[in-house]
Amino acid sequence: MIRLNENYLKLQSSYLFSEISKRVALFQKENPGKEIIRLGIGDVTRALPKACIEAFHKATDEMADDATFRGYGPEQGYDFLREAIAREDFQARGAEINADEVFVSDGAKCDTGNIQELFAGDIRIAIPDPVYPVYIDTNVMAGRTGNYNDGRYEGVVYLDCTRENHFVPELPKETVDLIYLCFPNNPTGATITKTELEKWVDYAKKNKSLIIYDAAYEEFIRDEELPRSIFEIKDAREVAIESRSYSKTAGFTGTRCAYTVIPKECMVYDASCGKHPLHGFWNRRHTTKFNGVSYPVQRAAEATYSEEGKKQVKELSNYYLENAKLIRQAVTGLCLACTGGENSPYIWVDSLRDSWEFFSMLLTEAGVVTTPGAGFGRCGQGFIRISAFNSRANVEKALARIKEALK
Ligand code: MLT
């Protein structure tokens, strides 16, 4: 008899963004004439940068000729991309990362979801609330939590992110082994300073914990004082890994390319406190379960680091940040408090009522899709997240409709 991993029974019935899609599809079916504007899931709408497209086409042509065709590539990614990442994303900012510490993949979602399988089943995990649901759901699947009660899974150390702490969690009072941090934050758009991040690195060193740092939105940072990488913090190489993605940076949500950095000094411990470099285990997992990102996609990702590519990527993120500014202005004008949207494409809005109720009202009255904060955790109740990823015309239209609906 094929038996179920019963941890799946503990999960909420569907993944947050699938649930939203279902509700939107139902509404659309019942209201076929109504035009819907999507500011829910953070999905980009603008074309890939020209430099990426040119590199993509060129690489595709290489695949069309026996002389330049490539079969399986290195599972960890081609050197040309790993070297560009280490040089441009880290060394250029004073962070000491080498190309062989970079693992190219098809998404930060997959990496942050998959990495937990390297750790023991009974480790204690600390998860911010609200949070990108992948971190918690994958630990539920792995059996690291108890049941779901009153909006939370038993056995998890939740790190409350509230108005009072400016949506940056405080260190846990207890000892935890695995910590998830994401800055600029999804969903709140909050950012973390170097001083605050140093406290997390110190905590992890003291407790032999590991920080999974999700920096998928770093391209949106405009405040030069803010860290773009956890590896800008001294000693972070010993206790942190970092995931990044080209999805939001360069419009790759449908193209798929990301990476995770595992420094060689980063250790994991066996039951007898013997230490082992995490790098080798992730390499083992990656080479066993993954066959690499396609060659043309890696060439397209590499092109984001050319002079033209850099300019075009900046132009894209500036465009979405301008949308974010308009959203912030409109929301504030409606006397709703918000955070995010300045160094982040997400605006976290205090809806002054139940999140799902506000979500439904905006969908039915304004035809605008947002994301209910409660879907990201108990502390998200009473908030909605608005994404700046859409065309300027759609954002302006959506804001006018929201204003009308809230009159
Ligand atoms: C989001 O809307 O939170 C993201 O687009 C989801 C993702 O990146 O997987």
Side-chain angles (χ1 to χ4, degrees), residues 15 17 40-43 109 132 134 186 217 248 346 376 385:
Y15 180 61
F17 293 106
I41 191 164
D43 193 5
K109 176 180 181 175
Y132 179 44
V134 172
N186 179 11
Y217 298 93
K248 318 295 155 97
Y346 295 130
F376 295 103
R385 189 193 75 175

Side-chain angles (χ1 to χ4, degrees), residues 8 12 18 33 40 64 113 138 165 183 188 205 221 232 238 249 259 282 300 322 333 339 358 362 399:
Y8 275 72
Q12 300 305 285
S18 318
T138 52
N165 59 23
F183 289 104
T188 66
K205 275 180 69 179
I221 295 178
E232 291 175 36
E238 294 166 31
T249 308
Y259 64 84
W282 184 247
E322 186 59 29
T339 185
F358 197 52
L362 292 179
L399 293 174

Side-chain angles (χ1 to χ4, degrees), residues 156-324:
V156 174
V157 175
Y158 283 94
L159 306 169
D160 289 358
C161 302
T162 60
R163 234 177 267 113
E164 289 67 40
N165 59 23
H166 306 288
F167 304 99
V168 177
E170 278 126 45
L171 296 177
K173 308 246 179 312
E174 55 277 82
T175 304
V176 298
D177 308 304
L178 183 61
I179 301 156
Y180 289 82
L181 293 178
C182 169
F183 289 104
N185 187 257
N186 179 11
T188 66
T191 51
I192 191 163
T193 62
K194 281 191 180 151
T195 315
E196 285 162 328
L197 200 47
E198 273 161 13
K199 290 187 205 157
W200 284 97
V201 170
D202 289 346
Y203 173 95
K205 275 180 69 179
K206 192 167 137 230
N207 295 294
K208 296 192 168 69
S209 337
L210 177 77
I211 300 171
I212 298 180
Y213 195 73
D214 184 347
Y217 298 93
E218 63 75 37
E219 168 57 31
F220 296 89
I221 295 178
R222 290 295 177 273
D223 180 344
E224 276 304 315
E225 295 300 308
L226 294 173
R228 284 172 167 251
S229 163
I230 195 165
F231 300 120
E232 291 175 36
I233 308 298
K234 186 173 165 293
D235 296 339
R237 286 180 57 86
E238 294 166 31
V239 291
I241 66 173
E242 178 168 315
S243 290
R244 291 206 192 174
S245 162
Y246 298 92
S247 284
K248 318 295 155 97
T249 308
F252 274 51
T253 52
T255 306
R256 312 305 311 147
C257 196
Y259 64 84
T260 290
V261 175
I262 315 236
K264 299 255 176 80
E265 286 96 315
C266 192
M267 295 294 153
V268 62
Y269 300 84
D270 61 34
S272 323
C273 290
K275 57 181 181 180
H276 309 264
L278 182 62
H279 184 278
F281 296 117
W282 184 247
N283 190 53
R284 184 71 173 83
R285 189 228 175 253
H286 209 65
T287 48
T288 305
K289 296 196 177 183
F290 187 61
N291 259 341
V293 173
S294 84
Y295 171 69
V297 168
Q298 291 193 58
R299 281 292 185 199
E302 180 197 22
T304 62
Y305 301 108
S306 67
E307 281 318 305
E308 279 311 299
K310 282 185 200 168
K311 275 192 229 146
Q312 292 160 10
V313 161
K314 189 62 69 205
E315 193 272 321
L316 261 187
S317 55
N318 279 340
Y319 181 92
Y320 292 124
L321 280 171
E322 186 59 29
N323 284 351

Side-chain angles (χ1 to χ4, degrees), residues 65-129:
D65 184 337
D66 286 349
T68 47
F69 169 81
R70 302 195 187 213
Y72 289 127
E75 295 93 339
Q76 303 87 343
Y78 284 101
D79 284 346
F80 62 76
L81 180 56
R82 299 174 89 195
E83 279 160 14
I85 290 168
R87 188 179 63 242
E88 302 290 338
D89 284 347
F90 297 98
Q91 293 160 10
R93 292 192 59 86
E96 183 204 334
I97 292 296
N98 299 313
D100 62 357
E101 295 173 318
V102 176
F103 292 85
V104 176
S105 77
D106 59 351
K109 176 180 181 175
C110 321
D111 288 352
T112 53
N114 288 330
I115 189 84
Q116 52 72 33
E117 73 176 63
L118 268 55
F119 310 121
D122 57 355
I123 57 163
R124 215 159 160 70
I125 56 168
I127 302 233
D129 178 356

Side-chain angles (χ1 to χ4, degrees), residues 27 46-47 73 76 85 108 131 159 187 211 309 333 364 391 398 400:
F27 176 75
R46 296 195 63 200
Q76 303 87 343
I85 290 168
V131 75
L159 306 169
I211 300 171
T364 52
S391 66

